[in-house]
Amino acid sequence: MSIEIMKKAVIGAASAIALLGAASAQALTLDPVSADGQNYTFSGTTDLAYGSITASCTLELSGYIDSGSETITITNNDVSGPYPCTSVNISNLDVGDVTNVTSSGGEVTFTGVDVTVATFFQCNDGTVVADFHNDGSNPSYFTIDQQGFGNCTLATDNPLTIVPADSYSSDVNVSP
């Protein structure tokens, strides 16, 4: 067998394997099914720290789930609470990849997140992993275990739960 024929055989086999892998990939399953692309708002308390300075603030995230691309897109984030919470600006918290999905939830990874608190400090290019929980009769919610980037750390005090009045439905569940 010539080298050229062997190359074509290897390329053909690799292409077939890639196609089989692509065919087996599945989109997220949402409950309710009609939730795909619909707006949801989640709100809870989050601790943001820079060194020994900690601010406990309310974090509200609005956005939608795209089951086909397995992403969550944040269209708005709002930080509120006592000073310095009102001076916190979170940017590049936009599209998160949904991974490790089971019948009880999954992980959402946001990369390139920047946090600025007035002119006091700035932490750039962080990765934030939020755990999404399907919790049976309770609304679904996000938690963020303490994680750091730069000199900042971020963690939820109280889970970010669905705000029914600002959401498509009072709950949404994800599964593989």
Side-chain angles (χ1 to χ4, degrees):
M1 187 183 277
S2 75
I3 297 284
E4 192 62 33
I5 292 173
M6 287 175 52
K7 282 183 186 177
K8 287 180 182 179
V10 168
I11 291 171
S15 297
I17 290 169
L19 285 173
L20 286 173
S24 67
Q26 297 180 15
L28 295 174
T29 300
L30 300 179
D31 179 22
V33 174
S34 58
D36 193 25
Q38 299 296 326
N39 191 63
Y40 281 89
T41 298
F42 293 83
S43 182
T45 308
T46 305
D47 283 340
L48 174 64
Y50 183 80
S52 63
I53 302 168
T54 301
S56 186
C57 306
T58 298
L59 175 61
E60 186 173 280
L61 302 175
S62 297
Y64 60 90
I65 302 168
D66 183 328
S67 65
S69 65
E70 298 184 352
T71 58
I72 292 179
T73 300
I74 303 299
T75 55
N76 186 48
N77 74 72
D78 183 46
V79 181
S80 60
Y83 187 80
C85 296
T86 54
S87 65
V88 173
N89 180 37
I90 301 174
S91 55
N92 299 326
L93 179 66
D94 44 20
V95 178
D97 294 319
V98 181
T99 58
N100 301 324
V101 178
T102 67
S103 61
S104 60
E107 291 180 343
V108 183
T109 303
F110 298 95
T111 56
V113 177
D114 297 328
V115 177
T116 305
V117 178
T119 57
F120 302 126
F121 66 84
Q122 185 170 359
C123 297
N124 295 325
D125 202 26
T127 297
V128 175
V129 178
D131 293 316
F132 185 77
H133 303 270
N134 299 332
D135 197 7
S137 62
N138 296 322
S140 301
Y141 58 95
F142 285 100
T143 57
I144 302 170
D145 291 333
Q146 186 174 28
Q147 48 199 277
F149 54 97
N151 290 325
C152 293
T153 59
L154 180 70
T156 50
D157 270 348
N158 295 314
L160 305 175
T161 58
I162 289 178
V163 179
D166 297 330
S167 300
Y168 174 72
S169 63
S170 62
D171 196 16
V172 63
N173 293 306
V174 298
S175 59

